[in-house]
Amino acid sequence: MIFSMTGFATAATELDTGSLAVELRAVNHRYLDLQLRMPDELRMLEPMLREILAAQLTRGKVECRIGFAPRPSVQHPAQLNQPLVRQLAQWSDEVQTILPEADGLSVADVLRWNGVLQSASMPTDTLQTMVPELLHQVLREFTAARGREGDKLQEFLLQRIEQVETLCTLVSPRIPTAIAAYEEKLAARLRIALQTGDDERVRQEITLFASKIDVDEELSRLQTHLVEMKRVLVKGGTVGKRLDFLMQELHREANTLGSKSVDAEVSRASMEMKLLIEQMREQIQNLE
């Protein structure tokens, strides 16, 4: 199975003292970027929570939000952090001594300061046990959601691979005929340009040019890369970076096929291939 880097999951549980909620959301990112949002009272859990997330996720910008809402019946009034308020007052006096024109802190400014108001209602001991348990539950739902989206992306990519393979199959039989027709036209032009009946000289020039417009190698490499893509998709796991590399190789071969083409149908097929490859490349950016 392959997994999308984008996903969302949330879960909540009711405790005697309130409601605990954990939410996970993720978007594309080249590497794993974990961002945790939680009450300060739970910050001691951050290293453990990061370890849990990193054990199951390898790429993506992942945001984890943890919230606790106390029940009104058990909620205690917030308490003033007096040592911090005194420290703020001292800092305000020192700043105004240096900058007399500076405004002092208002009561509203002080109350909005992080840590000034402390709630005594958060049952940290219980939450330290419940948060990891709830995170594991959310991770299971999150992984399942990313797997479902990964299945859709896999189906999309396999369809595009099949279309590129069909184009390769259509192009291959046209190559010898196209080269032969072009060689005949080139031979006539060379005889006029060289003003000679020396067929050997003309044959050498044609052979040299034919080697430059031969696309058998490009078609062979295209098919090889497509086979590898299918193998990687079927194997599953962390495939994003591998498939991204294969997209670069496919685009290079399709581009070379178009630049060497001496046939309108081959040129058209090359353009369609590049369009399909670009569609795949955009979707692969979503894969872990």
Side-chain angles (χ1 to χ4, degrees):
M1 177 180 285
I2 63 175
F3 297 92
S4 169
M5 276 193 285
T6 60
F8 173 83
T10 184
T13 186
E14 294 297 326
L15 306 176
D16 293 339
T17 52
S19 176
L20 173 66
V22 175
E23 177 186 295
L24 275 180
R25 61 177 69 239
V27 295
N28 304 347
H29 198 272
R30 189 174 181 182
Y31 304 106
L32 180 61
D33 180 11
L34 297 176
Q35 299 181 358
L36 276 71
R37 309 276 190 256
M38 67 182 73
D40 290 338
E41 292 86 348
L42 298 177
R43 278 295 166 187
M44 77 289 290
L45 296 176
E46 183 169 344
M48 178 179 60
L49 299 180
R50 286 184 176 275
E51 185 177 343
I52 293 172
L53 292 167
Q56 297 196 37
L57 307 174
T58 57
R59 295 179 70 196
K61 186 173 183 178
V62 182
E63 181 178 345
C64 176
R65 288 183 176 272
I66 301 171
F68 178 74
R71 294 186 187 281
S73 59
V74 298
Q75 187 171 15
H76 301 290
Q79 296 179 348
L80 193 66
N81 186 340
Q82 295 187 18
L84 179 56
V85 173
R86 293 190 185 94
Q87 182 64 66
L88 290 174
Q90 180 183 338
W91 287 340
S92 179
D93 292 340
E94 291 176 0
V95 170
Q96 287 185 304
T97 299
I98 300 172
L99 300 172
E101 68 278 9
D103 294 332
L105 287 172
S106 67
V107 173
D109 293 334
V110 173
L111 292 178
R112 283 196 298 265
W113 196 277
N114 187 34
V116 165
L117 292 178
Q118 297 177 321
S119 174
S121 62
M122 182 170 290
T124 54
D125 292 342
T126 302
L127 291 176
Q128 286 177 18
T129 302
M130 293 301 303
V131 168
E133 291 182 6
L134 195 57
L135 178 59
H136 280 295
Q137 177 185 332
V138 173
L139 264 173
R140 287 192 292 271
E141 298 176 6
F142 183 71
T143 301
R146 292 166 65 244
R148 290 191 294 270
E149 187 171 344
D151 288 342
K152 294 178 182 179
L153 291 174
Q154 183 185 53
E155 182 181 356
F156 175 91
L157 293 171
L158 289 173
Q159 289 176 351
R160 298 306 185 276
I161 290 172
E162 184 178 347
Q163 289 178 280
V164 176
E165 286 178 329
T166 300
L167 288 171
C168 289
T169 303
L170 294 175
V171 164
S172 294
R174 296 189 62 88
I175 300 302
T177 303
I179 291 178
Y182 197 78
E183 286 177 351
E184 184 178 346
K185 184 186 298 184
L186 182 62
R189 292 180 179 178
L190 282 172
R191 288 190 179 94
I192 296 173
L194 297 174
Q195 296 181 350
T196 177
D198 186 357
D199 288 342
E200 181 61 28
R201 174 70 185 281
V202 172
R203 190 158 42 249
Q204 290 175 357
E205 294 293 334
I206 291 175
T207 301
L208 177 63
F209 191 77
S211 66
K212 295 181 179 180
I213 63 173
D214 187 8
V215 293
D216 282 345
E217 289 187 11
E218 284 73 19
L219 287 172
S220 177
R221 285 195 290 266
L222 273 169
Q223 292 167 336
T224 299
H225 296 327
L226 292 171
V227 170
E228 176 63 10
M229 274 195 71
K230 288 191 289 187
R231 186 195 69 80
V232 171
L233 286 170
V234 171
K235 181 180 178 182
T238 304
V239 300
K241 291 184 179 179
R242 176 65 177 168
L243 291 178
D244 193 48
F245 169 76
L246 287 171
M247 286 300 99
Q248 297 176 33
E249 297 301 306
L250 283 171
H251 187 272
R252 180 182 295 111
E253 301 303 338
N255 197 53
T256 304
L257 177 66
S259 64
K260 285 187 172 183
S261 173
V262 292
D263 180 78
E265 286 301 312
V266 176
S267 297
R268 183 191 62 78
S270 171
M271 290 297 296
E272 289 189 18
M273 284 182 190
K274 287 192 283 187
L275 176 61
L276 292 168
I277 291 168
E278 181 61 23
Q279 290 176 356
M280 288 191 287
R281 189 194 66 79
E282 290 179 358
Q283 295 303 321
I284 284 171
Q285 303 307 308
N286 296 322
L287 290 178
E288 186 177 54

